[in-house]
Structures are given as C-alpha cells and as structure tokens.
Amino acid sequence: MPFGNTHNNFKLNYKVEEEFPDLSKHNNHMAKILTKEIYGKLRDKQTPSGYTLDDVIQTGVDNPGHPFIMTVGCVAGDEESYEVFKDLLDPVISDRHGGYKPTDKHKTDLNFENLKGGDDLDPNYVLSSRVRTGRSIKGYTLPPHNSRGERRAIEKLAVEALTSLDGEFKGKYYPLKSMTDAEQEQLISDHFLFDKPVSPLLTCAGMARDWPDGRGIWHNDNKTFLVWVNEEDHLRVISMQKGGNMREVFRRFCVGLQKIEEIFKKHNHGFMWNEHLGYILTCPSNLGTGLRGGVHVKLPKLSTHPKFEEILTRLRLQKRGTGGVDTASVGGVFDISNADRLGSSEVDQVQLVVDGVKLMVEMEKKLEKGEAIDGMIPAQK
Amino acid sequence: MASSFSRILSSKRSVGLLSVVGGSVAAGFLLHREHVTAGEPLRRRYPASAEYPDLRKHNNCMASHLTPAIYAKLCDKTTPNGFTLDQAIQTGVDNPGHPFIKTVGMVAGDEETYEVFADLLDPVIKERHNGYDARTMKHPTDLDATKIHSGNFDERYVLSSRVRTGRSIRGLSLPPACTRAERREVERVVVDALAGLKGDLTGRYYSLTQMTEKEQQQLIDDHFLFDKPVSPLLTCAGMARDWPDARGIWHNNEKTFLIWVNEEDHTRVISMEKGGNMKRVFERFCKGLKEVERLIQERGWEFMWNERLGYVLTCPSNLGTGLRAGVHVKLPLLSKDPRFSKILDNLRLQKRGTGGVDTAAVGGVFDISNLDRLGHSEVQLVQTVIDGVNYLIECEKRLEKGQDIKVPPPIRQFK
C-alpha cells in the first residue's frame, strides 16, 4: 500500500484548503479537473480495499507536466476506484478519451476475422508489427496499491494459466527474481525484458514497490506471444513479429487472449471489465481496449513533411520513437500506433493502424519520387 | 513541565491531535514516551507469511533483523497516525543494498514509530549505533560549545568546516508520512520562529515554490540549494511527495547558518564557514539551535526528543545528536596510504567525497566527519572530530617529510 492512505481519517482533521495540492504549475488531466470542491467531496472516501483520493492523484501532484504529452496524472488502485472517485475520474476520462460520457457504452470486439486486410504492409518499410494490451484480474487490487501477498497471488494465478497453454502458445515463465544471467541476456536480445520502472510517472504511483518480487515474463517458444506479469498492470499481453503482417499478429493476439481468459474464468477470476469502461486497467488512458497496435516503419521523408502531424491526427494515430513512449525516433524509423483506446473496438483500432500505415507508406513512396502528396491527405477519421 | 504542556495544548490544533490519540491517554502520551498506544489494527487479506518480503538478496540493517516472527507480530499494528510496518520498511525492501555502506533500510513516519515498532527498531538501532541499547541506556545531550578545545585547524589543509543536525517538530508526522497540510504546518512553524532570529543570525526564507530564478542561481552558487531527492533510498520512503510544496531554505545574511525545511527531516540545521575554525562554527551552531528552540517554545511547540533516543529524526541513523561535524581537508598522501581506512576507523571518523554522501573525493580533498550519532553528546562528537582531524593532518605532514605514521589505538566504544 503506498504512502498516505493508511491515515486518511487523520488527514480529515485538517481543512480542505490546508490539504489541497498546489497545482498552479501543473499540466495534466487530473490537475485541470481537480477543484477544491471535488477534493472536499471525495477526500473522506475509500474503496473497500482502502485506496483514497490522495493515492489516486499522488502521481499527478508529483509530476507537474510532461514536455510532449498531456499525461493523465492519476491512477486507479482497484476496480472500485473508478466508481468511488467518479467525480474526478469521469471528467478525466472524458478529456482523455475524446469526450467519452459517463453514459457511453464501450464495444469489445476480439474477432480477428472482422479485420480487413492487414497482411500486405510493405516489409521494405514496415520493419515490425506489434499489438499489446493489458488485463487486470478481478478480485485483486492494482499495481499502485497491491501488497506483496496479492502480487504473488496474481503471479501464481498467471503462471498457472499461461503454463497450461499449448500449440503455438506453448511457452515458459521467467520470474525476474530468479532469472539466470544467460536467460536475462537472451531476453534482452529478444527485446522482451522489461526493466524496473524509472519513469517518475510510475514510481510516484507506487508501482515499483518490492521490485522484482512477483514480476516476470512469459513467452511462447516461437517468441511471438509474450506476457509481462505485474509491471504497470497485472498482465500486459503482447503479440509481435518482424515484418508487416499485422493481420497475423492480430489473429494470434485475439486467439491467445481468449484462451487465457477462459483459463482465468475457470479459476473464478475473470478479467476486470464492464460495459461502460471496457477492460479496467491501472491508468485511465488504457481503459476500453487497452490496445496499442503499432508498427516500426521507415518514414524519413514523410516525417519531415510539414503536414506529418496533421496526417497522424486525422488518421487517429500517434508517433513514438523506437524505444517506446518518451523516446526519439532513430534513422527516420517511427513507432506508429492507434491513439484511441476507449469508445471503439479492438478491430476498429487495429483497422485504423492497418489502413493508416498503408496510406503513409504510399505517401513515403511518392515523396521518394519527388511527387507531392497533397491530394492524398485524408479527411478526419 | 506542566506549564509548557499547557502551552502545547493551547497553541496547536490540540483537538485534532487528542481525538487521534484518544482521550485520557493523551496526557500520558505527550509526557511519557514509553507507553505509546498503537492505533487501529489493520484489515489483512493475506497471512503475514504471504506478505513477508523476500530479503534474501538484501544487505541492510532492516533485512538483518526483520525475522518472519517479528514481521508477523508487527504487521497488523499502526501508530496513532496510521503509519504501518510495511511503510516503515518499504525503502529497505526496494533497495537491497548500498555498494559501500550498509544502509539502515527503514524510516520512521512519526515519533511513535520508534515505540510501536520497537521490536524491530531496537535491534536496528543497536546494530547501527555500535551496541547502543535503547531499552536501558540514556543519550546525553550537550550543546555547550565552551567545552571545546583546539578547535582551530591548520588552514593549509582544512578548507572548510561544517556542523549539521536535524530537528523534528513534535506533534507533526515525519517526511515519509506527513500529509501536505502537516508539511505546510512544519514550514509555517519553523519560518515563523526563524523570523525572530537577530544579530548575526538575522536572515530570510526562500520558499522553493516561490523562489525567483535569480535567487535560485545565487543559492546554487553559495552551495546552499538542495534538490529534489533522487536517491531511491529517499524516494522509496515517500519523502519526495508533493515536491516542492512547503520546502525551502532559510539562511542568515552572513551565509554561515542555514536551515533546510522539509527535505529529509522537518529541519536540517547547518553551520558552516570556509577555513578551519570549527570551534566558532560549533558555537554558532549551538547558539542558533538554542535560539530556534526558544522561539518555537514561545509559540507552544517543541522538538521531538527523549532520554533514550535523543533527538528523534526520520532515519534511525540520525538519532541521538543527528550531528555530522566535518571538514573538507586536503590529504593527498595519507589517502593513498593503505592504513588510511584503519586510521579513520579507529578515530571514529568516516570519509566522503566533497559532494557529500555517495560521492568521490576530488584532488585528494576529503569530507571527514564523525561516524557516531547516538550515545555520545554533541560536544563529545565535535571534540572527536577535532582531535581526529588534527591527527590526520599530523600524519599528512609526517608523510610530506617522508616520516612514518602510526595507526592510533581505537577509541573505546560502549559494548
């Protein structure tokens, strides 16, 4: 349990004005929404597991602003956080997810056959394809809040489920605590190993506590399907391969996820999901599908075109460097992925990536030939 | 005693405090440290054995003493303010070991931590403070600078002299646990008192949130500005929360007396000067501390202090005097002598680089300071530093002349 929540009642001896954080220099979604009135209304509440408003907002108080991206500035400690602290989280969700209303319903579609195309992205440009999401196990608190006992129980359940997979999903679990040097080297070369979080966005929310206890990586023998256990979410599920066959990546993603979910349900611990918010994850930015489907694609000419950002926005895509979030692109290679998470389905979001990347590669080819691309610029999707 | 007690009750938010501590226990609580009542027991989903941290790769004092039995006994307790064992040990769980120093691996969230979790803290204190038994021993406090002798070093070797300590304001939680309101109250109480300092101690406060760029640059040039903690030893203990809210620096106009507000402790008090006049540095230190204490007492507050542990601070390593008296001293020849470490050990001194803890020495210049904090008074520790540094300088001079040096006999410690 992170700092500050165990004496929530003690804090009530102080007035709202005395406890209210100084957000005057802050630029994140939480800071834009949290007023003294909302703070006053929610400060004496707790979720059943004891998570409080100050716990929710600590990361946003400690991290005033990100230079490039407007960060969310708050996290959930458990499924109930999204209910108990609705008065703060609903407006944050609305701001972050394009006006999503408290009455809106989210569509889940993990039927890969509904994806059109996606198997013919030009491998001369598209170096690799990847789809990731997160899943939280119902009945347990989330990484900002969970105790060592809970985290270990989550790991145990996850390992049981994953090691029972077979066929293309047969694989092995590597706990971070007891990995050998050789295993570690291999996981690093495969680009699978995740590190102890250093980003203050995560550490200030208490997600790195007790590292590396209860953390590990599972992957299939083919090295195309990978699960992170107890990093920023209970599970992060990743399907990836070299080249541009996003369709195959998405197929494996959907099939694998459904197999895992069946096993968890059998143990009476399904995934956290509801009609309104879709899949429940630690960061409000990952609600809905929690899906980031993307490619590493060579766009040296297009990326320097003055309309690059506008094209991305209209295609509902975002760019990152090849090291992931908060990194720079190297050699004109960009990580391009869907910007949306909530309010559209998995199929919808991957479709946007497939169609958008295809278009951008064509634009790149035109620019290589010295031709203009103005006629190709799409309408807002 | 009674009159100061009533001042405490009338000037603070006493209603809130008493309601937390509980009725008739309050009087006993505030006057007699030994009988602290723990707070509400916690609800736990998992048995202690499932929650016990994996400390097999750890090398800190907490890990050496936290047995599963002690964990099971203490894990359901909280201090009256709600601070828990898991919070106290989190920094030690997250930071398995420091390459050079065996770290403490736990912190206090409030004064009562040292009582409620005594089963763990007493052995940690004993290990860290060379056998000091907090159950049976008493810590001597002595801030009479007139007792110091030979406190003027050879300035061809000693570049600067400094004495620091910490002080906590009784009744407010410590940096790992304090709420924003408590932290702001610490700032208010301290800044209000400091405004009453006069003469060579007259100065002003620079709040970290409101500092201008120019003020910031000046404080950096003066080597006064402290940064947001980056050491995971501190951040994992929650001490950097809400930065820079209610943090600041106060210093006198002469720039020889400096107070940090709400960094690792409620206050860190520093007296320093260029050159080797450690006696004068300590005189100003004692005078300033006593003045600040008088000023906060006038307003109904007092420092956290008790007979067993001396001054109560966040890190158990700083209990007792919380005092680190040191010099920056040029010892290029001695520092290369293989007997250097042993000499320091026997003199009860430690070396650091000139950037402070965890830095390297530059140009043969070392930060040399006392190792001990608890069980010896301020006067005793400063005298130890003075005698020790004088010895080191003698060694350096002898080595310069090609003469041999001797390792001094160890200073006697309590067992």
Side-chain angles (χ1 to χ4, degrees), chain A residues 94-364:
Chain A
S94 181
D95 268 8
R96 179 60 177 215
H97 295 283
Y100 196 77
K101 297 192 290 296
T103 48
D104 284 336
K105 301 251 182 291
H106 170 81
K107 196 170 60 153
T108 293
D109 182 359
L110 283 162
N111 190 344
F112 67 92
E113 281 166 359
N114 291 339
L115 183 72
K116 299 192 200 54
D119 53 356
D120 59 350
L121 297 173
D122 188 339
N124 292 316
Y125 293 83
V126 177
L127 307 178
S128 60
S129 307
R130 180 184 186 265
V131 180
R132 69 87 159 149
T133 188
R135 290 292 185 263
S136 308
I137 304 174
K138 211 168 165 63
Y140 293 94
T141 61
L142 297 171
H145 189 38
N146 57 23
S147 68
R148 283 179 292 274
E150 280 198 287
R151 200 184 298 112
R152 291 162 178 171
I154 292 161
E155 183 189 33
K156 186 153 178 275
L157 252 180
V159 172
E160 263 175 48
L162 294 168
T163 48
S164 71
L165 295 172
D166 60 7
E168 61 174 324
F169 296 109
K170 183 159 168 309
K172 186 181 162 185
Y173 182 67
Y174 301 86
L176 252 52
K177 256 202 300 200
S178 48
M179 204 173 275
T180 66
D181 277 349
E183 288 167 341
Q184 186 171 302
E185 275 310 305
Q186 187 58 58
L187 287 165
I188 292 174
S189 328
D190 293 328
H191 304 289
F192 282 176
L193 190 63
F194 62 90
D195 253 325
K196 177 169 176 174
V198 290
S199 164
L201 301 177
L202 299 185
T203 57
C204 293
M207 297 193 225
R209 287 171 301 128
D210 313 312
W211 202 274
D213 197 318
R215 276 87 167 188
I217 291 168
W218 177 95
H219 71 78
N220 67 350
D221 296 336
N222 299 339
K223 295 188 182 178
T224 52
F225 193 73
L226 162 69
V227 178
W228 292 352
V229 178
N230 285 319
E231 194 237 10
E232 180 183 334
D233 282 293
H234 287 170
L235 306 173
R236 281 287 178 99
V237 178
I238 301 150
S239 169
M240 59 201 259
Q241 66 192 53
K242 292 243 179 269
N245 194 345
M246 181 60 98
R247 188 180 182 81
E248 171 61 13
V249 169
F250 189 54
R251 181 204 65 80
R252 188 183 318 112
F253 175 81
C254 295
V255 171
L257 263 176
Q258 280 162 334
K259 283 192 192 294
I260 295 172
E261 180 155 26
E262 269 161 42
I263 302 173
F264 272 99
K265 279 204 184 123
K266 266 201 237 138
H267 290 263
N268 284 323
H269 280 284
F271 294 145
M272 287 183 199
W273 179 93
N274 69 49
E275 261 196 327
H276 166 51
L277 295 177
Y279 288 101
I280 303 287
L281 294 175
T282 303
C283 181
S285 70
N286 280 322
L287 291 166
T289 60
L291 186 144
R292 194 172 90 83
V295 298
H296 280 191
V297 57
K298 282 197 272 207
L299 300 170
K301 291 208 157 15
L302 182 61
S303 57
T304 52
H305 191 284
K307 290 232 160 82
F308 185 46
E309 299 287 342
E310 194 185 330
I311 292 168
L312 286 171
T313 307
R314 289 183 181 205
L315 291 173
R316 310 202 64 79
L317 299 175
Q318 69 173 194
K319 74 178 197 294
R320 299 182 182 191
T322 47
V325 70
D326 299 345
T327 65
S329 100
V330 176
V333 181
F334 284 82
D335 177 316
I336 304 290
S337 62
N338 53 299
D340 304 320
R341 304 271 186 274
L342 178 62
S344 53
S345 74
E346 289 80 355
V347 168
D348 293 335
Q349 289 165 10
V350 176
Q351 192 70 64
L352 283 170
V353 174
V354 159
D355 296 345
V357 169
K358 196 159 186 197
L359 178 63
M360 290 199 291
V361 168
E362 281 167 31
M363 287 177 168
E364 181 72 19

